[in-house]
Amino acid sequence: MPMTKNCLTASMLEVGMRHSARLSFSRDQVQQYCSLSGDHNAIHEDPEAARLRFPDARDIVVPGGLIQISVTGLFGTEFPGDGCLGLSFVPERFRKPVYPGDEIDVDIVITKIRGPMIEVDVRLNDHQGNLLSTAKSKLIAPDEAYHNWWASRQPSA
């Protein structure tokens, strides 16, 4: 799915609105994340170590933190978009490992709007529709002034 850049204020959003995206991670992205985060768990670097923890592992395991920050990246780029501030992200444990090249479908649903604060539920499914994890997040949507600034810098259609 191509990335859609947005900058949606709370007044542009409604409870029940959804946004979907698809994520996938390469071995290089896993390596970069592990280097930057200091997470050098062998399951993220060596398929043999991954198989010791997960007997059916077919490759290294994508770190849950990489998946989580990629979901929060959607908040600040796609939905609600630029200018969004994250207050909390509470994930559930992943039900099964994710490997480089796997596709993850992300479904974000607005559950509550109170002033500029937006609450969302996040659901992560594998490419077969099986639940991988869920999360709840609280965000602050950009205000009108920020939206107007953002809109003035977008290319004309």
Side-chain angles (χ1 to χ4, degrees):
M1 292 181 185
M3 182 178 73
T4 305
K5 288 184 140 190
N6 282 313
C7 180
L8 304 173
T9 65
S11 65
M12 298 171 166
L13 301 169
E14 296 177 6
V15 170
M17 282 180 80
R18 303 180 96 83
H19 180 76
S20 296
R22 181 166 285 161
L23 301 175
S24 183
F25 304 94
S26 68
R27 288 176 133 262
D28 286 343
Q29 288 171 312
V30 169
Q31 183 181 24
Q32 288 172 350
Y33 172 83
C34 290
S35 178
L36 288 170
S37 69
D39 181 353
H40 297 289
N41 188 327
I43 67 172
H44 306 313
E45 299 173 350
D46 186 329
E48 186 178 338
R51 278 190 293 279
L52 288 170
R53 287 291 286 131
F54 304 100
D56 295 331
R58 64 181 185 280
D59 201 349
I60 61 173
V61 176
V62 174
L66 175 57
I67 298 168
Q68 293 169 14
I69 64 168
S70 297
V71 170
T72 62
L74 295 172
F75 299 152
T77 306
E78 296 186 22
F79 189 74
D82 202 312
C84 173
L85 304 174
L87 297 177
S88 66
F89 186 83
V90 182
E92 175 188 87
R93 184 174 187 270
F94 274 83
R95 295 170 185 225
K96 67 178 195 170
V98 173
Y99 307 105
D102 286 356
E103 291 185 337
I104 300 172
D105 292 321
V106 181
D107 189 37
I108 303 166
V109 180
I110 296 176
T111 58
K112 190 174 191 178
I113 301 173
R114 189 176 59 226
M117 188 176 341
I118 311 298
E119 293 184 25
V120 299
D121 283 349
V122 179
R123 184 178 173 94
L124 304 173
N125 291 321
D126 66 17
H127 67 285
Q128 296 165 330
N130 298 311
L131 181 65
L132 292 172
S133 186
T134 62
K136 294 190 177 294
S137 194
K138 292 182 182 178
L139 316 165
I140 296 181
D143 61 18
E144 295 294 328
Y146 190 94
H147 173 78
N148 292 337
W149 172 85
W150 179 86
S152 74
R153 283 157 176 74
Q154 299 309 298
S156 301

